[in-house]
Amino acid sequence: MLTWHVIDGPGHGRFLIKTFHEQFKNMDVTTMVKTAGKDLIVKDGKVTGVTAQDEQGNTIQIDAKAVTVATGGYANNKEMLQKYVAFPDTIMIGNVGKDRDGIKMARKAGAKDEGMGVLQAYRPGLPDYAPNSHMLAAARQPYLWVDTHGRRFTDESNVIIWPHSVNAFSKAGGIMYSIFDETSRKHYVNDGIDVPIGEWVIANTKLTKFDEELQKNRGFVYKAQTLDALAKAMGVDASVLKETIDQNNVFVAQKRDEVFNKNMDYLRPVKTGPFYAVKMQPAALGTLGGVKINEKMQAINKDGNAIPGLYVTGNDAGGMYGDNYDLLLGGGAFGFAMNSGRIAAESALDYMHFKKQ
Ligand SMILES: Cc1cc2nc3c(=O)[nH]c(=O)nc-3n(C[C@H](O)[C@H](O)[C@H](O)COP(=O)(O)OP(=O)(O)OC[C@H]3O[C@@H](n4cnc5c(N)ncnc54)[C@H](O)[C@@H]3O)c2cc1C
């Protein structure tokens, strides 16, 4: 059974960073915040330091026996998204300042790429809607999703193993509509949702902000009294949409989905107007492609050799997920970030001791 493993303490992840920071106070460690790494210093093929810029714009040179790059990937770099990602408009949730700095620095030092286009694919999303939005929570319920032709394209309940849902609708063209009727809207608002959206909107939450969010809708939510009007607003062929909905209603009545064999708990009729369609795009929690590394977290160059003194971790490193994010190991991305950092530090220590002999 899937469950959440959340860091115990106020602010979750922030609490962990704070704990590290407290530890550093008792160690011979200097932490420089608001200081951006800009470039790696390379001498005779070895990385020997980094140049950085402080808050005042001063350039600082830090000499080092080894450098670890850990700047979190390129989720906020539009040019890179355009170049590498199948749907560059993918909504990047919760990412700030992930501009590819580390990948750029490592590339300049001769590092090779791996798995550049891989994303930490999330659930279908809506631009400018916060992850705890009630409209999003309604639209992410696994009832009836259609592509831009008005046809179903997946077992909607794969939103529970969420990368599958984004993978499915990426294959279906990268735009989908979640369809529901007034009876379902009332169910969401009065009884609560059946499928939780992470810990952002938990199961049984009554979507009391649905109507308020509908009023503020910026063109992604369509409401119509008839299915013909809904299809027109969506820009899909009304006969195809109605055929899909009729088929859905047959599956509900017979308690069996003959197309995708979806769990019958997630079959709901679409019968009572007004009807709703929410237009959605892929969303992701970050990028997972970057620098090719070996098992010691050393950056690998184009000839397949490790670049001495250069280590790359977390979302700046590629290859952890092959060509696709998955949920086989909950906390895997965060766990990799933590443990790749640990392994890089251990490897760098070995390297430095080796150099001393
Ligand atoms: C909303 C959300 C939910 C998530 N949920 C999960 C989950 O449930 N399970 C899971 O396993 N993973 C989850 N993740 C993913 C996980 O948080 C990341 O994979 C992980 O934090 C990546 O760690 P990192 O060290 O590579 O990068 P980050 O944690 O992003 O840290 C990189 C840091 O580098 C800084 N930086 C950037 N450029 C520079 C520069 N030039 N110089 C100096 N510093 C720089 C950034 O400001 C940032 O502080 C989630 C991510 C998000 C956004």
Side-chain angles (χ1 to χ4, degrees), residues 14-330:
R14 256 180 298 152
F15 184 69
L16 185 85
I17 302 297
K18 194 165 170 261
T19 305
F20 275 133
H21 203 237
E22 291 300 318
Q23 296 272 326
F24 291 164
K25 285 181 186 163
N26 304 320
M27 298 164 77
D28 187 17
V29 172
T30 306
T31 310
M32 299 164 85
V33 293
K34 298 188 178 168
T35 304
K38 290 288 173 192
D39 217 345
L40 294 168
I41 303 166
V42 184
K43 277 186 197 144
D44 302 327
K46 298 183 181 113
V47 173
T48 59
V50 61
T51 55
Q53 197 172 51
D54 71 12
E55 213 180 346
Q56 286 74 41
N58 303 313
T59 298
I60 302 166
Q61 177 167 333
I62 303 163
D63 296 320
K65 288 180 180 151
V67 174
T68 298
V69 162
T71 66
Y74 64 92
N76 302 110
N77 186 309
K78 287 201 178 339
E79 200 183 304
M80 295 270 282
L81 294 173
Q82 198 71 40
K83 185 164 178 189
Y84 293 111
V85 172
F87 295 98
D89 290 338
T90 295
I91 299 160
M92 291 292 176
I93 303 166
N95 280 270
V96 180
K98 314 290 167 60
D99 299 324
R100 68 115 189 220
D101 292 359
I103 297 170
K104 184 180 164 195
M105 286 186 256
R107 277 178 174 177
K108 204 174 154 204
K112 192 178 167 170
D113 292 343
E114 180 157 11
M116 280 312 294
V118 184
L119 295 182
Q120 193 179 0
Y122 190 57
R123 299 172 168 96
L126 279 171
D128 301 329
Y129 280 71
N132 62 358
S133 148
H134 282 190
M135 179 59 74
L136 255 180
R140 285 171 170 169
Q141 294 304 300
Y143 295 119
L144 181 60
W145 297 1
V146 299
D147 63 14
T148 51
H149 303 286
R151 298 190 195 103
R152 277 180 86 204
F153 56 88
T154 191
D155 169 349
E156 295 85 346
S157 73
N158 67 24
V159 73
I160 296 165
I161 313 291
W162 66 74
H164 297 197
S165 62
V166 165
N167 285 344
F169 97 87
S170 293
K171 293 283 178 210
I175 296 283
M176 61 158 259
Y177 296 89
S178 176
I179 310 273
F180 48 92
D181 70 357
E182 182 62 7
T183 305
S184 288
R185 187 198 67 83
K186 286 183 179 155
H187 170 62
Y188 303 149
V189 174
N190 301 329
D191 309 329
I193 49 168
D194 304 309
V195 171
I197 306 302
E199 55 165 352
W200 279 314
V201 190
I202 60 173
N204 303 320
T205 301
K206 294 178 180 172
L207 301 185
T208 50
K209 294 187 200 138
F210 181 97
D211 291 337
E212 183 191 321
E213 290 187 27
L214 182 64
Q215 296 299 322
K216 293 184 194 152
N217 156 42
R218 281 174 290 264
F220 299 100
V221 188
Y222 308 101
K223 177 180 176 184
Q225 296 303 324
T226 65
L227 289 175
D228 282 304
L230 191 75
K232 194 171 173 206
M234 294 162 62
V236 308
D237 184 329
S239 62
V240 177
L241 181 67
K242 285 197 280 188
E243 198 179 305
T244 302
I245 289 174
D246 285 347
Q247 189 188 52
N248 172 73
N249 294 343
V250 169
F251 293 167
V252 176
Q254 70 185 24
K255 298 187 174 161
R256 196 161 79 83
D257 170 1
E258 285 174 16
V259 178
F260 293 109
N261 199 26
K262 180 168 69 173
N263 181 333
M264 67 180 209
D265 291 348
Y266 304 124
L267 291 168
R268 271 190 86 79
V270 178
K271 280 186 173 165
T272 317
F275 301 99
Y276 302 83
V278 185
K279 185 178 183 181
M280 307 181 85
Q281 288 170 227
L285 299 173
T287 57
L288 297 173
V291 176
K292 185 169 178 61
I293 50 164
N294 64 13
E295 76 286 0
K296 293 180 176 173
M297 307 300 141
Q298 291 174 294
I300 299 300
N301 70 15
K302 295 189 173 54
D303 300 323
N305 299 316
I307 300 173
L310 182 58
Y311 300 82
V312 182
T313 66
N315 288 7
D316 277 345
M320 169 65 181
Y321 282 94
D323 60 3
N324 233 317
Y325 182 57
D326 64 59
L327 290 186
L328 293 174
L329 183 62

